Amino acid sequence: MSHGKMTRRGEREQAFVLIFQQLINQNTIEEIIDAAEESAEVRVAEFAAKLASGVEENNAVLDDKISKNTRGWSMTRLSKVSFALLRLAIYEILFEDSIPVSVSINEAVDLAKKYGGSEDAPFINGVLGSIAKELEESHE
């Protein structure tokens, strides 16, 4: 069985799906990956698993960043798509130094366009933009 090399984008999308599923069913990322691999011909890419697990381990830090940068939005009003994508992108921005911040933002916005409602992409773009700016200022 050849799986072909999955692109970074495909791996990121897989990570998003895992994080999204966790918001819905509350299982651990490991349980979700095991179930996916058992039930279907799905191989979860190593990078996707790494991202999703990293998000899971750092939920508190990520959610703190989200709530600080979604002024006037309660976390419960966020769509699950937005929430999962924000967790993923902020994790990349904070912990994956090999990925340029602009790439993390663009990819999250693209996935929001694919999976979210019309408000999700501009909303995510705005939140991630302010987080990126905050980081730049702290590194100067």
Side-chain angles (χ1 to χ4, degrees):
M1 278 189 33
S2 73
H3 275 282
K5 180 90 184 77
M6 194 183 269
T7 62
R8 256 300 130 99
R9 169 167 288 190
E11 294 173 340
R12 185 179 278 105
E13 188 166 349
Q14 234 181 17
F16 156 69
V17 171
L18 294 169
I19 296 160
F20 181 77
Q21 283 187 316
Q22 186 175 43
L23 286 174
I24 293 170
N25 68 19
Q26 310 295 315
N27 290 344
T28 66
I29 291 294
E30 202 177 329
E31 288 166 344
I32 295 167
I33 290 174
D34 287 345
E37 294 192 330
E38 272 170 35
S39 68
E41 295 280 312
V42 181
R43 261 198 67 261
V44 175
E46 210 173 309
F47 181 66
K50 176 179 180 250
L51 286 178
S53 303
V55 166
E56 180 177 45
E57 281 158 32
N58 293 282
N59 273 345
V61 177
L62 302 173
D63 291 357
D64 180 55
K65 275 261 182 257
I66 293 171
S67 65
K68 283 199 175 98
N69 287 279
T70 49
R71 287 174 284 285
W73 281 70
S74 73
M75 299 278 267
T76 51
R77 270 185 65 197
L78 284 183
S79 75
K80 285 192 166 61
V81 168
S82 279
F83 199 20
L85 286 172
L86 285 172
R87 277 182 169 176
L88 175 59
I90 295 166
Y91 173 77
E92 285 186 23
I93 290 168
L94 296 180
F95 300 102
E96 288 286 334
D97 293 335
S98 63
I99 302 172
V101 171
S102 59
V103 170
S104 299
I105 295 176
N106 290 338
E107 295 279 323
V109 170
D110 282 349
L111 286 169
K113 286 177 184 160
K114 181 170 177 179
Y115 290 98
S118 59
E119 290 178 1
D120 286 320
F123 175 72
I124 285 174
N125 197 26
V127 174
L128 294 177
S130 58
I131 289 171
K133 213 171 127 200
E134 193 182 283
L135 278 179
E136 269 169 37
E137 286 160 8
S138 68
H139 285 310
E140 276 168 15

